[in-house]
Amino acid sequence: MSDPHLVIDRVSKRFDPRVTLGDRIAARLGARVELRGVQAVRDVSLAIAPGETLGLVGESGCGKSTLGRMAAGIMAPTSGTVRLEGRPVMSPGGTKLTTRVQTVFQDPFASLNPRMSVGEILAEGPVAHGLTTRENARDYVAGWLDRVGLDRSYVGRFPHQFSGGQRQRIAIARALAMQPDVLVCDEPVASLDVSIQAQIINLFLKLRRELGLTYLFISHDLGVVRHISDRVAIMYLGRIVEIGTADALYADPRHPYTQALLASVPRLMTEDAVGAEFAPIAGEIPSPLAPPPGCPFHTRCPAAGPRCVAEMPDLVPTGAQRVACHLYTGGVELAA
Amino acid sequence: MLGFIIQRLLQAGLVMLVMSALVFVGVFAIGNPIDVIISPDATQDIRARAIAAYGLDRPIWEQYAGFLGRLLQGDLGRSFVFNMNVTDLIFSRLPATLELTLVAVLGATFIGVPLGIYAGYRPDSPVSKGIMAVSVLGFSVPTFWIGLLLILTFAVWLGWLPAGSRGPTVEVFGVGWSFLTPEGWKHLLLPALNLSLFKFAMMVRLSRAGTREIMLTDTVRFARAAGLSEWTILRHHVLKLISIPIVTVFGLEFGSTLAFAVVTETIFSWPGVGKLIIDSINSLDRPVMVAYLILVAALFVTINLLVDLTYALLDPRLRRKGA
Amino acid sequence: QNLTIGTRAGPESIDPHFTATGTHAEALKHVFDTLVWSGDQLQIEPRLAESWRQIDPTTWEFKLRKGVKFHDGSDFTAEDVKFSIERIPTVSGPNPTTIYVRRVKDVTIVDPHIIQVKTDGPAPALPYDFIRLFIVSHKAAAGLTKETANEAFNNGKAAIGTGPYKFVSWTPKESFVVERFDGWWGEKQPWARVTRKELPNDAARVAQLRAGQVDLAVRIPAADIATLQRESSLNVVKGDTVYVFNMEFDFREKSPQVSAKDGSALPANPFREAKVREAVDLAIDRPALAEIAMEGLGRPVNQMVTSNTFGYNKSLPELKPNLQRARQLLQEAGYPNGFKVTFNFTNDRLPGDRAVGTAVAQMLARVGIEVNANGQPGAVLFPARTRGDYSLVMSGWGTITGEASYTLSSLGHTNNKELKMGAFNWRGYSNANLDKLLQDAAVEVDEAKRRKLLEDAGALFMQERISLPLVAVSSATAFRKDKVEPKLIRVDEEVLAMDVVPPKK
Amino acid sequence: MTEPLLQVRDLHTHFFTRAGEVKAVNGVSFSVDRGRVLGLVGESGSGKSVTGYSILGLIDPPGRIVSGSIRFEGRELVGLDPDELRALRGRRIAMVFQDATATLNPVLTVGRQMTLAIRAHERASDRAARDLALDVLKKVGIPDPASRLNTYPHELSGGMRQRVAIAVALLHRPALIVADEPTTALDVSVQAQIIFEMRDLVRSLGTAMIWITHDLATVSSLADDVLVMYAGRMVEAGPTRVTLRAPRHPYTAGLLASVPSRNPKGVDLPQIPGSTPSLLRLPPGCPFQPRCPRATPVCREDPPRVVDSGREALCHHPLPPASQAAA
Amino acid sequence: MTPTDTTLTSQDPVTLPAPEAAPAPVPPPVSPLRAFWAEYRESWIAVIALAVVVLVVLAALLAPWITPQDPYDIANLSLMDARRPPGYVGAEGYTHWLGTDANGRDLLSAILYGLRISLQMGLVAGLVALSVGTTLGLVAAHSGGRIETAIMRIVDLQLSFPAILLALVLVAMLGQGKGQLIAALVAAQYAYFARTAYGAAAAERRKDYVEAAHSVPLSARRIVFRHILPNIMPPLIVVATVQIANSIALEATLSFLGLGLPVTEPSLGMLISNGFQYMMSGRYWISIYPGIALIILIVAINLVGDQIRDQLNPRLKR
Ligand SMILES: Nc1ncnc2c1ncn2[C@@H]1O[C@H](COP(=O)(O)OP(=O)(O)OP(=O)(O)O)[C@@H](O)[C@H]1O
Ligand SMILES: Nc1ncnc2c1ncn2[C@@H]1O[C@H](COP(=O)(O)OP(=O)(O)OP(=O)(O)O)[C@@H](O)[C@H]1O
Ligand SMILES: [Mg+2]
Ligand SMILES: [Mg+2]
């Protein structure tokens, strides 16, 4: 792979609850006051090469969006940095420093300002950042509308006049109009209908071909991620537990969580092959307020041993991918 | 929860401080209270002596500091007009106001909520439209105006009820309550009705809006799907759900009703604290003004606190947070 | 038989020496007697003092009534009088009753029923001061301080007087209850129990009267008189009072609220110009104020004091409006286009104050003076007036002592602290002639001479138009015919249970 | 042959809104036999939920069943007296909704909500009600059910909440459960658990079920029969395996084709162009005609009719049947 | 592999079929305002209320031209015409259809002018409170942290304190006059706007479109004023209608308590208060007619507000 382009370097994010003066006094007085924060992302490092698509998969609440936000420079990490071509995307004060990372969000109904016309939505950023002038904005916008397969005549319309798929195209056009290198897509097809989903996936594929975009593609749909990604990272409770090329990871998942996750998804069966059924993972995700010690997955892991409770596994190369599991670093029993 | 309570109390202290400072500055800006109270034939010298005796010639910050100092010892001062301890003065009138307010707010709630639920349950029926019409009127028409019409109609014209004042009281716990006598109720009825009208409208609107929204939720649909009768749904699901906003409003309204009693008390010559505050504003009786506002602020904070605690009782979702 | 009176206010304590407010005195007259009584026309009459005389210019001797008992059964003696007089400065509140004893230097007990009062100078009007000198029992009220006095009085312990009624209970701003004292020295009272209900709102008072909750209501608004009279069970009596609405001009060189019509400053304060004051005077239609603004509850006046007052000048002419002349005078004074002024008046103190104020503003507008009528609560107006914020003010003034020097010297004398005169002359008026007349009157012992001095002062006051008296306030009292019948109507507006009797069948 | 448990014939449910008449369900017919699972699939807004609500008589104004028949256990439900309908609901037919957080009342305990549902149909003592509730909670796989009775919904995880909702539906051992996307709001792992458990439950209880979803994969692993809806109309119905293997309607075929996992990685997916029509302005003929590659002028005018009885595809130009396709 | 009918795939996967072939985007381009009006029109009560409000506003605006008398020009008033019953023909020769008040004002004129003042007070106070409150709410929602805490604490404190008392104290403090009264009304009401704006903005801030704006990135000012502000207007408008009605009522109440405007330029509240003393003496018109005018105005505004509120409530949409 070529030089990394977007580098996420040991990034963590913690959400601390608001503590009032009263809470503090009460805590002094010995009352139980919730001071624990949510450790949404824990010490994650990733590097994405130019033109590469990295898929990020995980269950709800595991920190995908949080990581995506930090990668896009919308949210400041508690620790660690995100760099684009060596330069941080965000100042320590929380100001975004680059326009070269843009985002596409999940909900096409919420991601467009309902009070702005399509033209305004698309032109606002480029005009503000000097990518085009106010006078040329119309043509500029029309060009991007073409690109995402929307009619130029739509510039004057408002978001509520479009269907979900069309809105998502507008959202993509808005991101593209900023001429980004990297697109962070946070579940961009999750809320679309099946028949529309394919259109948008195809659009992403086409844009990658034509513009050489780099994607951080977040989804919980394993099928979609597989289809679009070069590499895939699996997240669990704020940590990356396995990362590798899509083919290798799907063909030979190493982490027990990845294995269970892949097995738990019902597959579309059209043959009478009844045997290949899915099997759910036992239990539920622990609360991020009180993450279990050691390996976060040990509470649900069929292969867990004493070491998993005591020790947090590191992400180490295992086969074609990198995995954070004790199974591959000496077993789950505690070393004597 | 404790932290929350402490936070509230801290805020309460702050409100009271701000309110009292405001009154001090305000009264200072209006003028010297002695000028309002003193007889026209007092000589300069008598006036000067009176002013000095009450420390009104001192700089305002000094007066305020003195006030705070005494406040810390639990002394709110003495009324300029009555030379009584203002706490005594206010507490002697508080039962009258409390009684009036309670009757008004309880009445408004117990009549308004069922009607509101009905109007929300059957938003298009003529009865509901009628209920809403009344509530819009109650919401819009200024209290003083309704008060007048009530007196005019029921006391003067029909002669059914007294035109004002409080009825005979019965002592309970050393406090006189008038709602314990039939005659007392007769006196209480009109002012309470007057005062409750706005609250009534409020309760109707609130419970109607709440019911309408809840009726469209999946919760109700699910209850219906489980075969629950409409009555059970209203009684167990809807009532419980709308009770949360209603309790909030009940609490807040209780406070603001206390404050709004000013108008009703003036019209109905109800010997409560509301009238006292108007009188003390008119005579620049600063200690009473300050004490009253502090009291109201304290009352408000207490009520808000109670509301929040009740809230937590009613809404289990909040309980855990507070644990 | 019980009597319930709907009053506006008072008392503010049961301690009679706490405050000099009129309604306070009115209420407490039932419980405490005064040394000297003021009659319905404010004529002074014996009360606890049977007679008095001036034995030298600075000494008055009072002979006290014998056989008077306090409510606790003890005898009334000179000791109580001395105690009461000396007590006043120690317990007075923000409206000090010290004004009633301001001339007193020393009190000497000659014998249990004779007392001598030394004044700080010749004080011919001393008995007038004593009409509100309440006598408390020196035993019951002994040792009370400013802090403890109120509690002791309010809970009845010290509320021991010699008056016709005994104190029963009092709730501030609500009701004051007394019951007959059978040991009173005067004639037996018809009421076993008297309740004064405080109903400051006029409409409420009227409504309660009609609803039968009170037997008698004071100060009926003019608007309601006719209707009440129409009701068969009710009746209304009207009476004159000593209160006169008057308009005060600012005489200072620079006046804050007067300007040319376009808002620019005037070269001088127009009210210093006699012609302007006369023009204002001529613009005012006093009968219209009385008949229309006050709906008959007023009387046009031509001087600051009313006819029953000592020092009233009978020779002064009636004041008639003359708009043409008024305009002409304005022109002559150099204000052909008039000027602009803010006219301040109270809107919550006396019946009709708001109506009269607005009507006067209307009248001034007709001669070309642009008036910004600013009616406001007394709480705002009085302190501002004292500060000198105003150019033109109207308020009511009552010569409650019954003699004219009280009014004339407060309003017309140069503001002088030493002489204790001109306390209400906030507007910088000074006239040596008037000062002289008033100072002479203050020390003149001969009654006829004093009357003459005051009449002259009154005439000069009017000639100078220092203030413009407008209308005197009348007062109406309504009552239930079947329950009560007022014997007399007092000019000081006090309504006392003693003046009310059950109707003769 | 006995009558099926539920037979829906030519159901039309419309909403009379401000903007016009929304034909949410526009001529749907199907039947469900005892113990069978019918998968109802379709895109968002295609009328799946409304079909479900129609069966339970839960259509609120401005909606109304305009025509059609719903026969359940030999009784006609359309036009049935509201009280009788209510007596059926929860007892003979039950329903589970998509979002358990929204369906459970947040201010009532689990036990209370279950008791209310029990008492809606039978007089039960506190004890009996409690026992029944415990029993059913255990059945739906809730660990330590006794302690759950006193908890409030928010104290449970999403999966547990949905299980409680399912338990409420099962209380009276209904003959039919209408499950409206009960797993859509859940996590993949929990979703799998619930599907698993539901399948076992209906099998063991012999309950019939209508499983509403937009996920073809779920249907394929759960349902015996499938019915595909598009814009308020049914487009295809038949046994699951057969239908999914050899769809005859171009829409079904298009959907199946566009599933990413059935395509080589990274290549463009076969897609259906355009988007779903507004139910307010349905084209006169076949609703899918504007997006259909096989459309001909006849599709524009005539709504298609049923082609064969066991397997139905409402299309003028259906794809060849399975045997031919395989060839 | 499963049968895949290749005809299903169009050649260029990204190009949509020609627009006429594709179904129109969801609803046809109806302007939101027009749709709003179409829905509004369905409630005849609300339509009447709106008509009343419009009429009243017009009448108030045109008062100087349509009233027989300028009731504020006191030189014009004749004391002789005071307190005449409706229908009386006054000195100037025209009929006082609603009678006259204690100063000889034609009541019809006085009411129209009074409406003017009441409306003016309500509107000005409402608008000032709206802008002050909204700004504070937005600043709080956007800045977060200490500033947010400080602003919202103050607002909460104020909300927990009865508006009427606050207004009473302020009027007593500041003195009387339009400016002072407006200040008091604003002080009593801005907190409602601040709360609403804050709540709405805090909800809006979490929406993806705001996040998208951040990700561009756009300046904070721009995000707050171009993106958030327009989207929180609906709830603010609802609050504004209620608060304007409240201002009018509050002003009337303050006037009634003697703490309102100067007597010579009476608002409706002042007129009612002035006429109050004549109620029992049968001269009802002095107080009743202004009272009716006031009630009609407030009821109409509230009805309009109710309808807007219902229409803006997404949960009641159908
Ligand atoms: N602003 C916030 N304040 C507090 N906690 C937050 C915040 N944002 C996210 N979290 C918490 O951080 C954790 C990770 O959230 P995140 O949104 O990144 O998850 P996700 O993987 O995107 O989930 P989903 O699939 O539901 O979108 C969650 O537990 C969430 O509750
Ligand atoms: N109360 C209602 N008023 C008006 N239209 C309604 C109402 N309920 C449903 N509809 C309309 O009926 C159509 C079908 O809705 P339905 O909820 O059945 O869709 P669905 O297939 O369940 O979709 P989803 O997968 O989103 O749940 C939709 O177009 C919807 O707009
Ligand atoms: Mg997310
Ligand atoms: Mg649905």
Side-chain angles (χ1 to χ4, degrees), chain D residues 15 17 22 24 43-50 62 98 181 214 279:
Chain D
F15 289 89
T17 69
V22 177
E43 291 179 284
S44 181
S46 58
K48 307 182 296 292
S49 298
V50 173
Q98 174 168 350
E181 312 202 29
H214 57 248
L279 292 182

Side-chain angles (χ1 to χ4, degrees), chain A residues 193, chain B residues 221, chain D residues 13-17 22-25 42-53 59-63 98 180-181 212-214 229 232 278-279, chain E residues 317-318:
Chain A
D193 274 330
Chain B
R221 187 171 270 171
Chain D
T13 304
H14 298 182
F15 289 89
F16 299 88
T17 69
V22 177
K23 295 176 179 155
V25 176
E43 291 179 284
S44 181
S46 58
K48 307 182 296 292
S49 298
V50 173
T51 306
Y53 297 149
I59 302 292
D60 287 326
Q98 174 168 350
D180 187 0
E181 312 202 29
I212 297 174
T213 182
H214 57 248
M229 287 184 74
S278 155
L279 292 182
Chain E
K317 263 270 170 285
R318 53 173 191 192

Side-chain angles (χ1 to χ4, degrees), chain E residues 58-75:
Chain E
L58 272 183
L61 279 179
L62 298 178
W65 292 277
I66 57 176
T67 56
Q69 189 191 61
D70 174 1
Y72 297 162
D73 181 4
I74 45 178

Side-chain angles (χ1 to χ4, degrees), chain B residues 11 15 19 22 26 30 137 139-142 144-145 148 152 205 212-213 216 259-260 263 292-293 300 304, chain E residues 153 157 160-162 165 169 172-173 252-253 256 272 276 287-288 291 294-295 298-299 302 306 310 313 315-316:
Chain B
Q11 284 175 21
V15 189
M19 274 329 284
L22 203 71
I30 303 173
L137 274 180
F139 200 66
S140 307
V141 183
F144 68 89
W145 171 256
L148 291 183
L152 217 55
R205 293 161 73 89
R212 264 184 91 177
E213 284 185 9
L216 298 176
F260 229 89
V263 180
Y292 174 77
L293 290 174
F300 251 87
N304 279 342
Chain E
R153 277 296 82 76
L157 291 186
S160 70
F161 203 79
L165 275 190
V169 173
M173 246 172 81
T253 305
F256 176 77
I272 298 170
F276 179 27
S287 204
I288 288 273
L294 178 73
I295 290 169
I298 301 181
V299 169
N302 274 333
D306 271 5
D310 278 0
N313 187 343
R315 286 193 260 184
L316 299 180

Side-chain angles (χ1 to χ4, degrees), chain C residues 302-303 305 307-309 311-318 451 455 459:
Chain C
N302 61 354
Q303 54 191 299
V305 296
S307 58
N308 44 29
T309 308
Y312 175 79
N313 190 332
K314 289 195 194 68
S315 62
L316 291 178
E318 193 184 332
R451 186 188 296 272
E455 284 176 13

Side-chain angles (χ1 to χ4, degrees), chain A residues 13-17 37-41 56-69 75 106 186-187 218-220 235 237-238 286-289, chain D residues 187, chain E residues 206:
Chain A
K13 180 71 190 181
R14 191 185 167 81
F15 295 105
D16 284 316
V38 176
Q39 186 79 42
V41 172
L56 190 58
V57 187
E59 287 176 83
S60 180
C62 71
K64 303 183 296 292
S65 298
T66 307
L67 184 59
R69 284 198 185 96
M75 184 184 268
Q106 165 174 3
D186 191 353
E187 316 218 14
I218 301 171
S219 178
H220 59 247
M235 259 187 113
L237 267 184
S287 157
L289 269 176
Chain D
D187 261 334
Chain E
R206 278 191 286 274

